[in-house]
Amino acid sequence: MDHVTAIDSYVRELDRRLHGPRRRKADMIVEVRDGLRDAADAVRAGSPGVSPAEAERQAVEEFGPVPDLAPEFQTELAVTQAWRTAWVFAVALPLVMTVTTLMWRGGGSGVEPGAAYLDLARATDLFLIVASVSFAVALLALHVLARRAASPVGLVRTVGVAALCTVLAMMVSGLFLTMGAPGGGISLWGALVGGLPTLPGYGLLFYLGVRCLRLTRPRRPGAGRPSRRPAPVPSA
């Protein structure tokens, strides 16, 4: 085995097992590779007679088996994904509410909406406000859990489920508001067709929620489960 094979083989196996935000994963792999190379250099500095290949082998052995360490790295990736998801929702939901309100006011038909329609519109606005605040609180909670040595896995899954439920609620509410618009209500089919331009945005938000759940799901045999040990505080 040549000088780089032990470390490169270790890094390739770790890379294969990890799933998550690509930039953070790439940074993580680089950090591991650099750490192993520094450890191998330290072995050779302390024992000049040790061959480069043996120094790498010792560095990899001291670092620990990939199956044991991968779950901890995977948890960090899951937390990063949850942090990004919560950030997007915390910012996007107030924007959605603002845009839809302006569109409703600017495109009004002059017909006074009924009580049921107003109740649904107000409930939708209240839901968006509460959801946005909740996702903002989730951002803080992810930091607090990490600093207090608590497991963030449950919160990551909660963020994922909340994201999916929020998107579905927004879509259903939008359909009903479109169908029951005063003076301009349309059929269900018409509302579905008219909502096609919003599907990419909803699809992205839905994907973020699914991603949170997938990154905390147990992998194939040997890949291990996400670690329940605290993860480093995430960044955007």
Side-chain angles (χ1 to χ4, degrees), residues 105-169:
R105 290 178 179 176
S109 62
V111 179
E112 187 67 22
Y117 184 89
L118 288 176
D119 288 342
L120 178 58
R122 293 185 184 120
T124 300
D125 288 344
L126 179 61
F127 172 79
L128 291 176
I129 292 172
V130 172
S132 178
V133 172
S134 299
F135 282 109
V137 171
L139 291 174
L140 177 61
L142 286 167
H143 285 266
V144 172
L145 286 176
R147 291 196 173 100
R148 292 186 178 181
S151 171
V153 174
L155 182 55
V156 172
R157 292 172 179 160
T158 300
V159 169
V161 172
L164 299 182
C165 292
T166 298
V167 172
L168 293 176

Side-chain angles (χ1 to χ4, degrees), residues 151-195:
S151 171
V153 174
L155 182 55
V156 172
R157 292 172 179 160
T158 300
V159 169
V161 172
L164 299 182
C165 292
T166 298
V167 172
L168 293 176
M170 290 169 63
M171 295 178 69
V172 171
S173 175
L175 283 176
F176 278 105
L177 289 173
T178 301
M179 293 169 60
I186 58 177
S187 65
L188 175 59
W189 177 250
L192 290 173
V193 173

